Structure formats: C-alpha cells, structure tokens
Amino acid sequence: MKDLKHLIFFEKLLENAENELVKKAIADGDKALGYSCYFIPEVLLNLPGCFSSRLRAPGTGSIDVGTYYMSNKICSYTRSILERGIEGGFDYLSALFSAETCQMMHRGHEHFEILGLVKKQNPKFFMSMFDVPFVPDEDALAHYTEQLKFYVLDKLNEVYGVDTSEKALLDAIKRHNEICRIITEIGELRKADNPVITGYEFHVIQLVSQVCPQELIKPYLEETLKELKKRKPDPKPWFRTRVVVVGSENDDPEFTKLLESCGAMVVADRYCFGSLPGREEIEVKDNETALQAIARHYLMSSECPRFMNKERTQGRMDYVKKLYEDYKADGVLYEQMKFCEYWSYERVIGTSIFAVETGIPCLGIEKEYTLVGAGQLRTRFQAFVESLEIKKIQGGNK
C-alpha cells in the first residue's frame, strides 16, 4: 500500500514525550497535564488553556536509577517513567495526576513529590492523587465524581485559574468526542477483509492522539482519515492471520510491528493506551451535569481487571469475544507487563478459562516495557501464527 502522508511525522512525534506539538502548545501558553491511567479522564485535562499528555518513556535504556528508588519487582513501565522523570524528561509538565488504581504507578508518581521533580522548572507544578472505587455502582459513581471535582477541577482552578464551569466542561466533551469519532472511524477500517490500514499504523495514530495537544493533532488525524478512505489495499492481504491484542500497558508500536512481521495483523487493540475501550464518545444524559457524565463514562466503560467481581470478569471475557467476532479475528493474544498484579490474573483467566469456554485460540505472554526479549517473542508469535493457520485449514473455530 502507498505510505500514509503523515506517518513519518507521527512516528517522530512519538520519539519524545516533549514532542514538537507539545512544545508549540506550551510556547502558546497552554499547560501540559500529565497522566498515566484511563481512570484519569483525558477530557478533564483538555479544559481551556490546558492539554493532556499521557506519559510514555520512549527510547528507554537503563532504568537502574528508577529501580534503585523503587524495586526490581515493580513493573518496568513504572520504573521507566520515574527514570525519565529523574532525567528531566517531564520537566515540561505543569501538573501530574495520579489515580490510586495501580499501586506501583501510584508509588512511582509519589517520587515526583518526594524527589522534587519538575518543581525547579515550574514552582507551580503540583501532584494530585485521588481514589477510584473498585465497584461501578451508584454510590461509587458519586464518590468518583466528588474525587474528580476536588482533586482535578478544583486544583486546576486554584493553581492555574482554569475555567472549570459547566460550559467549559461541555465544550471539552464536544472536542473530545470529535477526536474519538475520528479515531473510531479509522479503527473501524480494520474490520475489512483486506484493510487499508495496518495494526502498526493504527497503533501510531492512536498514540499520537493521546500524547499530543488535541487541537494541534486533530487536523493531521482528519487528513489521515480522508486519505485512508481513498487508499487502495494491496491486491492480496499481506497478513496470514488476524489477532486481537488484549492486555496491560502497551505504548510501543514496535511491539505491534514485531507481531505483524510474523504475519499476524492486529485488528483490535484492547489494552492500556488502546482505543477499545478508550475512544468511545461521552454522552451527557438528561438531568446530568457534564462532570457526572464524564465520571459515569469512565467508571462504567472501563474494562480494567482491577474490577474483580464475577460480573465484571465475565463481562471482560464477553467483550473480548465480541471484538474477536466483530473484527473477524483468528485468535487472541493476551500480553502482560511483567509484575503487573491485575493483568497477571487476567492473562491466566484469558488463556485458560476464556480459551476453554469459547474455543478461541489464545496465546499469553509476559513482557517488559522495552522489547528486550524480541527474539523470544518473535519465536512465540511465529508459532502462534502457524497454529492459527493450521486451525483454519482444519476448519477450526470460525
């Protein structure tokens, strides 16, 4: 297929957390607000004069310093974020928001205060941590809404004078939904028998939509969508199988490229930093404030395995099965960041209970933040692709 016009530009934006568009927004006077979890609503960080910046640590090498301050039993994503923070890689931030969801990342974020990171560059920089319920019922929703107001909106208004009015929130939802519509429409193209986009390209596009100021990246996303609608696929599909990737933190497109180099197109991204869920539009219902709508959306739509009750666990399996069917996949890959507590359980559930109950071929892998074991992963990916091909030849579960 013909190369996408902006793909190289998108890839360059992902080389650094403080990328070209981030620098431009800051130069224009906007505040960069960092976050690292779905439960910190991206939409709330895109109020007037602000933009959201989901934390990544591209190009991570040694994380010895991050390990020193934490432990080698902490996931390497958390240690990489702390390491990059100590190196000054997040000095562009005006604030960092943390939800008490993953205790490892929560502890990592605490070190930004303990070590005084960013403060020297921006004396007004603040850390804000809040609680997220473990159940998605009405009482929990009320608590979550209150937490968002006190620890996000009130803090932004108090420290930076950010407009947190109902009108500003509704406008932020509108702009957020516009980005969601673009990404969702691009993602839907993967359902075709011979898609005009690769999983790698979509991964790159989804990431830039999260780590760049919305208003600056939006024109490029719109142009890319128009380009894809006119793009002609290769006469014969380049891939041998189609897979749904499910799992924990995954912000490295090279992981997707490695998997696709083995012949498996990633047709659905059900992982942290992915679009399923993550790019659904927020609906404001009657008799509901904008903040209540935002809180309800994020609490109720989350597919995070921190919800451990039976209903939500079954719901996650049903959701993966639906993605498998909707995107006409041949198998499911469960990936887990090493030492990730929640996904260590979920991966086992996926590759044992889910695989047995549905008959869907599943592969489970454990990985580090960087592709340090790329050779071993390649071998496992190749074997999985071959097994899916054999199953199709034999008329397996389709």
Side-chain angles (χ1 to χ4, degrees):
M1 290 183 289
K2 184 180 178 180
D3 290 342
L4 292 175
K5 177 181 177 181
H6 297 303
L7 184 62
I8 293 177
F9 175 60
F10 290 158
E11 290 172 330
K12 188 171 181 59
L13 289 174
L14 296 178
E15 291 178 358
N16 294 287
E18 190 179 7
N19 59 54
E20 176 184 330
L21 296 185
V22 167
K23 289 179 179 178
K24 185 178 187 309
I26 293 174
D28 291 340
D30 290 345
K31 307 298 182 185
L33 308 179
Y35 73 112
S36 61
C37 179
Y38 181 79
F39 287 105
I40 301 162
E42 175 186 14
V43 63
L44 288 183
L45 309 187
N46 284 291
L47 289 165
C50 304
F51 67 91
S52 60
S53 178
R54 191 156 184 176
L55 299 191
R56 299 172 60 246
T60 293
S62 168
I63 52 175
D64 289 347
V65 177
T67 302
Y68 170 80
Y69 280 104
M70 301 189 76
S71 162
N72 59 6
K73 298 298 187 292
I74 298 292
C75 89
S76 52
Y77 170 55
T78 299
R79 286 181 282 150
S80 297
I81 292 297
L82 178 58
E83 181 93 18
R84 189 57 51 85
I86 293 171
E87 293 171 349
F90 300 123
D91 284 354
Y92 67 92
L93 293 177
S94 293
L96 177 57
F97 293 91
S98 180
E100 201 167 0
T101 46
C102 164
Q103 290 301 313
M104 294 184 189
M105 183 55 74
H106 190 63
R107 181 182 171 194
H109 283 183
E110 283 182 324
H111 279 77
F112 276 74
E113 280 196 324
I114 294 170
L115 301 176
L117 307 182
V118 186
K119 270 287 187 182
K120 292 180 181 178
Q121 303 299 322
N122 180 7
K124 281 190 170 184
F125 172 83
F126 68 89
M127 273 283 304
S128 191
M129 303 182 182
F130 58 90
D131 175 55
V132 177
F134 274 88
V135 290
D137 58 26
E138 290 304 314
D139 289 336
L141 178 57
H143 174 70
Y144 183 44
T145 305
E146 185 179 277
Q147 293 282 297
L148 293 178
K149 180 182 184 304
F150 186 81
Y151 289 102
V152 180
L153 297 184
D154 290 353
K155 286 288 290 184
L156 286 173
N157 180 262
E158 173 191 339
V159 178
Y160 292 115
V162 174
D163 181 1
T164 60
S165 65
E166 182 74 4
K167 183 179 182 299
L169 288 172
L170 289 172
D171 184 60
I173 290 175
K174 179 182 177 182
R175 288 183 282 107
H176 176 81
N177 286 348
E178 289 170 356
I179 295 290
C180 290
R181 276 193 290 272
I182 296 169
I183 298 299
T184 297
E185 196 168 347
I186 292 175
E188 289 284 304
L189 298 173
R190 297 175 294 174
K191 291 182 177 179
D193 292 334
N194 189 9
V196 295
I197 186 171
T198 68
Y200 168 77
E201 289 170 335
F202 182 80
H203 196 169
V204 169
I205 292 168
Q206 163 64 3
L207 284 176
V208 296
S209 78
Q210 292 177 313
V211 303
C212 297
Q214 283 186 348
E215 293 307 302
L216 296 183
I217 196 64
K218 182 183 171 185
Y220 296 100
L221 298 177
E222 290 176 324
E223 189 174 348
T224 299
L225 174 57
K226 291 178 182 177
E227 181 183 0
L228 285 167
K229 288 181 177 180
K230 297 178 181 179
R231 196 186 201 189
K232 301 296 182 184
D234 295 332
K236 182 180 179 181
W238 58 268
F239 53 89
R240 293 150 58 190
T241 57
R242 302 161 64 96
V243 297
V244 175
V245 176
V246 180
S248 57
E249 204 282 340
N250 187 355
D251 68 31
D252 186 2
E254 292 301 315
F255 176 87
T256 301
K257 181 180 283 188
L258 176 63
L259 178 54
E260 294 196 324
S261 73
C262 297
M265 178 179 172
V266 178
V267 291
D269 53 324
R270 209 330 269 146
Y271 46 72
C272 297
F273 274 86
S275 68
L276 299 165
R279 284 303 177 208
E280 295 77 16
E281 294 182 45
I282 299 172
E283 176 191 3
V284 182
K285 297 181 179 180
D286 294 338
N287 301 318
E288 185 178 50
T289 67
L291 180 58
Q292 288 171 335
I294 292 168
R296 173 180 50 76
H297 176 85
Y298 282 90
L299 189 64
M300 302 303 181
S301 68
S302 173
E303 294 290 334
C304 181
R306 73 188 294 272
F307 294 124
M308 296 182 180
N309 60 54
K310 183 178 180 180
E311 292 75 21
R312 289 304 290 263
T313 300
Q314 182 60 51
R316 288 193 296 275
M317 290 193 287
D318 293 341
Y319 183 67
V320 172
K321 184 174 185 292
K322 187 175 188 307
L323 292 178
Y324 169 83
E325 294 169 347
D326 290 350
Y327 287 83
K328 295 174 281 190
D330 301 301
V332 175
L333 171 65
Y334 275 87
E335 57 88 3
Q336 171 221 327
M337 185 74 67
K338 191 173 183 181
F339 299 125
C340 179
E341 179 183 5
Y342 297 131
W343 278 101
S344 64
Y345 294 110
E346 192 76 1
R347 177 169 64 91
V348 173
I349 290 172
T351 54
S352 54
I353 298 173
F354 173 76
V356 171
E357 288 184 352
T358 63
I360 295 173
C362 294
L363 171 67
I365 64 164
E366 185 180 67
K367 71 180 186 69
E368 295 285 5
Y369 182 57
T370 56
L371 289 178
V372 291
Q376 185 181 41
L377 286 177
R378 181 182 296 278
T379 300
R380 298 197 66 191
F381 292 162
Q382 289 172 336
F384 186 50
V385 169
E386 290 173 8
S387 71
L388 294 178
E389 287 183 305
I390 292 171
K391 194 172 184 68
K392 283 198 292 185
I393 292 171
Q394 294 175 342
N397 182 62
K398 286 301 290 180

